[in-house]
Amino acid sequence: MSKGGMPIMSRFTAFAIHLGISVAIFLALLMVIVFIWYPGVYFATDGGWQGIRLIAAIDVVLGPLLTLIVFRSGKPGLRRDLTIIGIVQTAALSFGIWIVHSERPVLVVFAHDRFVTLNREQVARAEDRAIAMVKQAERLPEYAYVRLPEDAKGLNDITRQALRIGKLPYLLGDRYEYLGPANVPVILRYAVDIERLVKDKPADQERLQAFIQNHAGALADYTFVPLKGRYKLILFAFAHKNLRPLGPLDIDSSDLVSSF
């Protein structure tokens, strides 16, 4: 034992212990981020990778590195220094977790010609109905439809009204409906030409083929519409026969769809 009551160990042993604890915490958070907060393709489209890098930098790099720098067995005030490191790492990690959680997609809405993912801050801007949809959802993200005029003049008028109050049309929460048979036929009018989209793109062709095999159908059985995530434009699939939503598909649709 050292004079301060702490066991004698080398700097690298202390670093290894701290790193091991940090890695265990990181792996637990990784499971939550991948399977709950950013499920499926939303991990790639809405910031899952960015969140993992942030958490890793704080948890796996920052804390253990500080221990490696300051640790010296028998050093006066070592216990105080390690306590400060623990406090700093915990505070930074808590802030990082809060950021990653707050940016997760909790609502996916179809507005005019595409789906758009919304985080909690955007849902709050869409106000009461959007907030209620998220609170009542059994599983996130929830899916909704924004009832907008289908004629060009009506759509332009609504868009101008939304912009005057600092919103885009997909944040007009008073017009939200749950995704269902009443609005899916309108959504399917904005289907993309999937064969044209994946032409000359072997990776996307493989993803499309895997999707078809997983659902035991043929290409003609499905319809695909654009989905805009925070970092990537992809597709959302529907079964053509019964109009059933099947979920997002990680095929880049930016070649056929403009961003906004």
Side-chain angles (χ1 to χ4, degrees), residues 180-203:
N183 44 56
V184 168
V186 178
I187 293 173
L188 298 188
R189 297 175 191 171
Y190 299 95
V192 302
D193 184 342
I194 188 68
E195 292 182 285
R196 176 186 168 194
L197 187 63
V198 302
K199 184 181 179 181
D200 302 322
K201 297 179 181 177

Side-chain angles (χ1 to χ4, degrees), residues 70-129:
V70 307
F71 191 93
R72 179 167 55 83
S73 188
K75 173 186 174 183
L78 179 60
R79 187 183 297 276
R80 179 203 60 208
D81 292 345
L82 294 179
T83 299
I84 292 173
I85 289 173
I87 293 172
V88 170
Q89 182 178 3
T90 300
L93 182 59
S94 298
F95 181 66
I97 292 171
W98 177 81
I99 290 175
V100 175
H101 180 267
S102 64
E103 294 295 337
R104 65 182 292 211
V106 294
L107 189 63
V108 181
V109 300
F110 187 90
H112 177 47
D113 64 351
R114 71 194 66 188
F115 284 96
V116 181
T117 60
L118 306 183
N119 60 29
R120 287 193 179 276
E121 186 274 332
Q122 292 169 309
V123 167
R125 289 184 60 202
E127 302 180 357
D128 295 348
R129 180 154 179 75

Side-chain angles (χ1 to χ4, degrees), residues 200-218:
D200 302 322
K201 297 179 181 177
D204 284 343
Q205 291 173 8
E206 291 180 8
R207 293 188 184 100
L208 179 60
Q209 188 59 39
F211 170 87
I212 293 171
Q213 292 175 352
N214 289 339
H215 290 85

